[in-house]
């Protein structure tokens, strides 16, 4: 690896370990480089193999989080609560090491990193307390004749003295940590006076630019050993005074034309009320003018400022053209990557922006979906069905408008050439697809009459005490889908039928089609005043950020590639994910298989729609079929259909010249390719499926009923078929109208998930002044636990 420090002026071991202490004063011994005030960027044109973000023209801050990855000059402000331990004596070494590592990673990417740090007072307090205790112990031992540390009290330590004692140790610690990454660090101590004196300001500016040019990370702190107490309301017109490290970071960032300030504190960001209060909600994006709606709590346990000071400094920096994010630097689960996550544009902390979106935030949309979903669930079943029937009619009535929008998406996708052929096919809509979609929606409407509020169980617990278990919606669903605009009305209809609120996140490749389909869905929902129940996310939220909304979303359903499903399963934080990561479906051709059935079923399973998750990926052949006319017919059919065959290990061993041997028996090809493997019999086929399959859909072709039943009972997959194509594994073909996806999970819903899979239950108990103590040994009542008949009609 090419180390950046090896390219800087700090070449050599001794130079890398050099502690450059630079003070911003106007004296003659100041480290100052004439003419450096015009040096605003490093130039690496003569250095090979290094790619750095381009220095952007400074003026306006970034409008969206996704743009933060373009930040080149970054200020990281470390609050006292981040740097110090909980007892306020000494430094949090683990956190500090993690922060240094992240800063080093960004520095080695070619960014220009600066640190504004607290901690000198806390570090000095630890050292002075140690010295005082040691001195007291010696005096006490001399006085009492025994070396015992009892009844000792540490006097209140003056902050300036602590800062003087702690500065050198704090900087030595930073130096040692950065040296591990071959990065030099330099200390700069400033006071408010250094910004009021024009000559000192120019010297400070020149020093910082020269340090950045030489790949050195400036570590800046207020000179607390000499700094006077902050004066209230001392801000100059348009200029923020240096009262604390928050205002120092803001002032430096604007002076240095930094792209981003990351302010790390001991809270997750800015809340709409004091953190810890019952109704406190984290503010994702904060806009100038919103401070009137925020109630600030008390300041941090340590440090000069509080959240109010941070917001004031952040807004001043934002006005000066620097973006700001306030985040938690102390949480053990996120502090190890909080800085890099912010720069990558992930939803961490509170992002300050001048650009207010036209529509609601995704958090607001989720809350709207929950409220709308609850209203939807209280409608009569006939009313929910009426909405779905109306949506089916709208799809037919607006067919030309939908197809026109879809053609625009198709043309853009083909021009950009970014979508593979299977994805292009999924993106495409046709009159036939829309007709099929409309029919499916009508099936959903017809079958939804008794879905919500259906009584599943009734029990008489005791006299006049009756218990019911009834179906209810899950809550708010997040459905993320790729290149499948027809998914939007299908999933919307299922959510409406089951009374769930719905958040939809479609791929940008189908943006035009999704927008018209969403508008029609909203029109249908307006029939009974519940248009908020379904929301289409149009903001720049990344999928990973949506998966973190565990307080707003109850279930995530991904519809797309196996990679998308795996990414969502990995990113979901406390939210269950319904779906399957892979569709490795098998067809087993038994020795008793019918010649006429085999080629038809295998062809349909593999070739009808090879990109589908229910398409056959592995063909298992009974070894007795090898070198028979049936085997030749299978191979000829696959050759005619242009299916590429990958030989499994056993099949390859039978051949002198075999096709390409399979790299893995656990492969989802999603194209006109499949693996062909040989097995000894049905038991061997089952063991192969359990070892290499994905529990999606597996089929057997045989005329032997006993063998077939054994296969059906012993294969542990969501769908197991006999003498049928794997392509039947579909909600529409099952008569569910549509599906939100196919689940291979072991709990709740499994297989094609329709309305039933989007429902859960709740218990309703009706009594007459019943209390548990009446049923104790000394009580007057007895449990009956008598099963009661379940009504056949909906109880709603």
């Amino acid at each position: 690896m090419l180390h950046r420090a090896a390219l800087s002026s700090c070449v050599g071991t001794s130079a890398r370990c050099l502690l450059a202490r630079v003070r911003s004063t106007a004296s003659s011994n100041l480290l100052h480089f004439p003419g450096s005030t015009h040096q605003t960027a490093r130039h690496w044109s003569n250095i090979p193999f290094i790619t750095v973000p381009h220095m952007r023209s400074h003026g306006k801050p970034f409008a969206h989080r996704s743009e933060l990855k373009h930040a080149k000059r970054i200020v990281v402000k470390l609050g006292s609560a981040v740097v110090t331990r909980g007892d306020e004596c000494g430094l949090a070494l683990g956190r500090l090491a993690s922060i240094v590592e992240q800063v080093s990673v960004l520095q080695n990417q070619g960014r220009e990193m600066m640190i504004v740090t607290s901690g000198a007072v806390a570090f000095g307090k630890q050292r002075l307390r140690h010295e005082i205790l040691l001195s007291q112990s010696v005096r006490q031992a001399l006085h009492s004749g025994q070396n015992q540390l009892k009844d000792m009290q540490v006097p209140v330590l003056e902050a300036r003295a602590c800062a003087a004692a702690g500065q050198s140790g704090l900087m030595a610690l930073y130096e040692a940590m950065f040296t591990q990454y071959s990065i030099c660090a330099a200390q700069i101590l400033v006071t408010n006076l250094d910004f009021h004196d024009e000559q000192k300001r120019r010297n400070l500016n020149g020093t910082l630019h020269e340090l950045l040019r030489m790949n050195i990370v400036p570590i800046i702190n207020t000179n607390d050993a000499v700094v006077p107490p902050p004066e209230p309301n001392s801000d100059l017109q348009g200029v923020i005074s240096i009262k604390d490290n928050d205002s120092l970071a803001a002032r430096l960032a604007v002076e240095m034309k930094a792209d981003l300030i990351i302010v790390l504190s001991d809270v997750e960001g800015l809340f709409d009320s004091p953190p810890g209060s019952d109704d406190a909600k984290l503010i994702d994006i904060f806009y100038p003018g919103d401070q009137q709606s925020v109630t600030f709590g008390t300041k941090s346990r340590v440090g000069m400022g509080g959240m109010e000071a941070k917001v004031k400094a952040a807004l001043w920096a934002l006005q000066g053209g620097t973006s700001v994010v306030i985040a938690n630097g102390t949480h053990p689960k996120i502090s190890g990557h909080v800085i890099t996550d912010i720069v990558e544009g992930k939803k961490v902390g509170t992002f300050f922006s001048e650009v207010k979106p036209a529509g609601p935030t995704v958090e607001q949309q989720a809350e709207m979906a929950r409220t709308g979903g609850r209203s939807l669930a209280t409608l009569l079943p006939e009313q929910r069905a009426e909405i779905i029937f109306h949506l089916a009619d709208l799809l037919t009535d607006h067919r030309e408008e939908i197809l026109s929008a879809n053609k625009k998406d198709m043309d853009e996708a083909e021009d950009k050439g970014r979508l593979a052929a299977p994805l292009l096919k999924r993106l495409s809509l046709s009159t036939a697809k829309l007709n099929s979609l409309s029919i499916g929606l009508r099936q959903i409407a017809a079958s939804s009459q008794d879905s919500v509020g259906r009584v599943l169980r009734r029990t008489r617990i005791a006299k006049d005490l009756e218990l019911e278990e009834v179906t209810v919606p899950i809550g708010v669903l997040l459905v993320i889908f790729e290149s499948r605009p027809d998914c939007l009305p299908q999933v919307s209809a299922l959510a409406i039928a089951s009374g769930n609120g719905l958040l939809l996140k479609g791929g940008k490749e189908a943006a035009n089609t999704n927008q018209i389909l969403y508008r029609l869905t909203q029109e249908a929902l307006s029939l009974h005043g519940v248009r908020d129940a379904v929301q289409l996310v149009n903001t720049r939220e990344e999928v990973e950020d949506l998966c973190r909304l565990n307080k707003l979303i109850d279930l995530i359903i991904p519809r797309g590639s196996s990679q998308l499903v795996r990414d969502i399963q990995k990113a979901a934080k406390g939210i269950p994910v319904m779906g399957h990561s892979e569709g490795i479906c098998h067809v087993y051709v038994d020795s008793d298989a019918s010649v006429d059935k085999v080629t038809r079923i295998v062809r349909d399973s593999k070739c009808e729609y090879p990109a589908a998750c229910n398409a056959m990926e592995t063909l298992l052949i009974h070894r007795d079929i090898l070198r028979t006319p049936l085997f030749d017919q299978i191979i000829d059919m696959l050759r005619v259909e242009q299916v590429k065959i990958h030989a499994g290990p056993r099949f390859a061993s039978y051949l002198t010249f075999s096709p390409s041997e399979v790299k893995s028996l656990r492969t989802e090809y999603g194209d006109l390719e499949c693996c062909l493997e040989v097995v000894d019999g049905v038991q061997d086929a089952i063991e192969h499926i359990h070892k290499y399959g994905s529990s999606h859909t597996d089929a057997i072709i045989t005329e032997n009923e006993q063998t077939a039943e054994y296969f059906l009972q012993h294969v542990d997959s969501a769908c197991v078929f006999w003498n049928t194509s794997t392509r039947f594994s579909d909600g529409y073909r099952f008569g569910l109208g549509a599906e939100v996806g196919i689940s291979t999970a072991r709990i709740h819903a499994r297989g094609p998930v329709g309305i039933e899979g989007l429902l859960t239950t709740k218990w309703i108990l009706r009594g007459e002044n019943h209390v548990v103590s009446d049923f104790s040994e000394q009580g007057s009542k007895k449990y009956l636990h008598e099963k009661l008949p379940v009504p056949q009609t909906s109880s709603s």
Side-chain angles (χ1 to χ4, degrees), residues 671-714:
D671 207 343
L672 287 173
E673 300 180 59
C674 75
C675 168
L676 196 156
E677 182 59 309
V678 175
V679 292
D680 292 332
V682 65
Q683 184 60 43
D684 196 15
I686 293 170
E687 291 175 2
H688 179 102
I689 290 169
H690 288 167
K691 185 173 183 179
Y692 300 109
S694 59
S695 302
H696 191 294
T697 301
D698 300 290
I700 182 173
I701 306 175
T702 184
E703 296 303 301
N704 188 316
E705 184 176 351
Q706 185 177 355
T707 301
E709 287 300 327
Y710 185 87
F711 184 89
L712 296 175
Q713 297 303 319
H714 286 79

Side-chain angles (χ1 to χ4, degrees), residues 646-655 661-665 675-678 688 692:
H646 300 277
R650 288 194 63 185
F651 178 48
S653 68
Y654 284 95
L655 305 174
E661 191 164 342
V662 69
K663 294 180 180 178
S664 170
L665 291 169
C675 168
L676 196 156
E677 182 59 309
V678 175
H688 179 102
Y692 300 109

Side-chain angles (χ1 to χ4, degrees), residues 534-596:
V534 177
Q535 299 286 325
L536 180 64
V537 178
N538 285 319
T539 58
R540 297 187 176 210
E541 254 73 24
E542 297 292 334
V543 168
E544 186 174 345
D545 294 327
L546 292 173
C547 292
R548 293 176 177 173
L549 301 178
N550 60 310
K551 294 181 180 179
L552 300 172
I553 295 168
D554 300 300
L555 178 66
I556 301 175
I557 304 172
R559 295 288 305 272
S561 66
S562 58
Q563 187 60 51
L564 171 72
V565 178
R566 283 193 295 270
D567 290 344
I568 290 173
Q569 289 172 334
K570 183 179 179 181
K573 305 296 182 183
I575 310 175
V577 178
M578 179 187 290
H580 63 279
S581 59
E582 293 174 306
I584 304 174
C585 303
H586 297 75
V587 173
Y588 165 55
V589 181
D590 187 52
S591 59
D592 295 325
S594 164
V595 175
D596 296 332

Side-chain angles (χ1 to χ4, degrees), residues 199-272:
Q199 181 61 42
K200 291 182 178 181
R201 280 181 61 197
R202 285 199 300 269
N203 289 344
L204 173 61
N205 191 288
T207 299
L208 287 171
H209 276 102
E210 187 64 13
L211 291 173
L212 293 176
R213 188 187 68 81
M214 295 191 299
N215 278 343
I216 297 174
V217 175
I219 298 177
I220 306 130
N221 195 359
T222 53
N223 192 353
D224 293 325
V226 298
V227 69
E231 299 177 16
N233 303 318
S234 60
D235 292 349
L236 302 177
Q237 184 65 34
V239 179
I240 190 170
S241 62
I242 309 303
K243 301 186 182 72
D244 49 48
N245 277 342
D246 296 313
S247 52
L248 171 60
R251 185 68 183 270
L252 274 172
V254 174
E255 291 274 347
M256 293 296 295
K257 295 183 171 58
D259 301 315
L260 172 64
I261 306 177
I262 299 174
V263 180
L264 297 184
S265 182
D266 57 351
V267 291
E268 294 178 26
L270 183 60
F271 288 78
D272 57 1

Side-chain angles (χ1 to χ4, degrees), residues 306-384:
M307 188 54 72
E308 190 169 6
K310 289 174 175 56
V311 171
K312 182 177 180 180
L315 291 174
W316 189 86
L318 190 70
Q319 187 179 12
T322 298
S323 297
V324 184
V325 175
I326 297 177
N328 192 333
T330 64
H331 196 292
K333 290 186 177 180
I334 63 173
S335 59
H337 46 81
V338 60
I339 299 174
T340 51
D341 280 355
I342 289 170
V343 176
E344 289 172 9
K346 294 181 181 178
K347 186 177 283 190
V348 178
T350 299
F351 172 62
F352 286 69
S353 175
E354 292 181 327
V355 180
K356 207 161 190 175
T361 65
V362 68
E363 289 83 2
Q364 291 169 333
Q365 284 187 294
E367 291 174 352
M368 292 163 65
R370 186 173 297 281
T371 302
R374 285 171 177 163
S375 299
L376 186 64
T378 61
L379 295 179
L380 295 173
E382 295 80 7
Q383 292 175 309
R384 288 193 294 270

Side-chain angles (χ1 to χ4, degrees), residues 120-141:
V121 173
F123 195 38
K125 186 185 293 186
Q126 180 189 35
R127 295 181 64 183
L128 293 181
R129 280 186 176 182
H130 178 76
E131 292 298 327
I132 291 170
L133 288 172
L134 184 61
S135 175
Q136 287 181 344
S137 66
V138 171
R139 287 199 304 270
Q140 188 180 53

